Amino acid sequence: MDGLVFDPKLSTVAYGAVLEMILRGTIAAGELVTERQIATRLGMSRTPVREAIRRLEGEGTLERQRSGALVVRPYSMEEFLHALAVRRLLEGEAARLAAGKISLEVAVALRERIARLRTEGLGEAARQDDRDFHAAIARASGNPVLATSIADLRKRTAMFRLGRLPERIDQVCDEHLAILDALASGDGDAARAAMQAHIDNVRAHLLQRLTAI
């Protein structure tokens, strides 16, 4: 009976689950991805998995080989740096627009998450906290197209495994707090500068780490 009934909610769940496996590295760059494999892992029928895989292929997360097989698209250092450069522009503008617009409740929640990151270190919850931090600012910009573009770019840079820098936890916390302080002050230029400094530091630290390898 598989394939006769399409449930878009299940497809969305499957998409999120497969994407999370890719971002965590459970499915590695270059690894073969099949409907049967994913359906078995998720305990789902192949129909929602098929739709999720099609969506990921359309977004460029999965890449079809000449043989017809699908693999997780490898993400090069050059692509990562290009994506960071665009993120710097877009997230800087989002922070400028969001200045003075983030609610006190959201700001308090974000500060609590930053404190948790500083004490508990880099785990799965911390990665989600980081995504939520940047997403909250993008949403507060009031420009949904800008927010969607930022989310897509952040997903792409998260696929680059060396982009995760646990040794920078304290610095990241300080940088996030500086961004929040600028947003709370309502100073758009300061918020943009703080966000761009944060992304510049990610890039600089990554390059420093790579030259030491």
Side-chain angles (χ1 to χ4, degrees), residues 6-203:
F6 172 62
D7 185 340
K9 292 183 179 179
L10 279 179
S11 174
T12 300
V13 171
Y15 168 84
V18 177
L19 178 60
E20 188 63 23
M21 285 191 284
I22 293 171
L23 295 181
R24 288 201 314 263
T26 305
I27 305 176
E31 184 175 338
L32 182 68
V33 175
T34 68
E35 291 176 17
R36 184 186 300 276
Q37 164 206 32
I38 299 300
T40 299
R41 286 194 187 190
L42 299 181
M44 286 186 174
S45 68
R46 291 172 66 177
T47 299
V49 170
R50 183 178 305 122
E51 294 303 316
I53 287 175
R54 285 175 181 168
R55 180 176 171 186
L56 288 163
E57 182 184 4
E59 294 175 351
T61 304
L62 299 179
E63 182 176 66
R64 192 168 296 276
Q65 305 288 283
R66 290 183 179 180
S67 65
L70 278 173
V71 299
V72 177
R73 181 176 176 271
Y75 209 57
S76 71
M77 177 65 177
E78 183 180 20
E79 289 174 300
F80 179 84
L81 292 176
H82 285 323
L84 271 186
V86 179
R87 272 186 53 191
R88 183 184 190 278
L89 294 173
L90 297 186
E91 293 201 58
E93 178 63 9
R96 185 186 71 80
L97 294 171
K101 296 179 182 176
I102 287 187
S103 71
L104 178 60
E105 180 181 8
V106 170
V108 168
L110 292 177
R111 288 180 186 277
E112 289 174 352
R113 290 187 177 197
I114 292 169
R116 181 172 69 184
L117 172 62
R118 202 186 292 275
T119 57
E120 296 182 5
L122 188 63
E124 290 306 317
R127 293 188 178 99
Q128 184 60 52
D129 287 348
D130 184 65
R131 289 196 289 267
D132 290 345
F133 176 87
H134 288 269
I137 295 170
R139 284 194 301 271
S141 74
N143 186 327
V145 176
L146 180 60
T148 298
S149 298
I150 288 170
D152 180 63
L153 280 168
R154 286 188 55 78
K155 179 178 68 178
R156 293 177 184 276
T157 52
M159 291 171 63
F160 189 81
R161 306 304 299 169
L162 282 176
R164 295 174 180 175
L165 308 170
E167 65 272 24
R168 238 179 61 79
I169 287 176
D170 283 334
Q171 294 95 322
V172 167
C173 290
D174 291 341
E175 290 162 13
H176 280 190
L177 287 173
I179 293 167
L180 283 177
D181 288 343
L183 291 170
S185 74
D187 187 336
D189 290 338
R192 176 172 56 192
M195 178 64 78
Q196 291 183 336
H198 170 53
I199 295 174
D200 286 343
N201 288 338
V202 171
R203 182 181 187 279

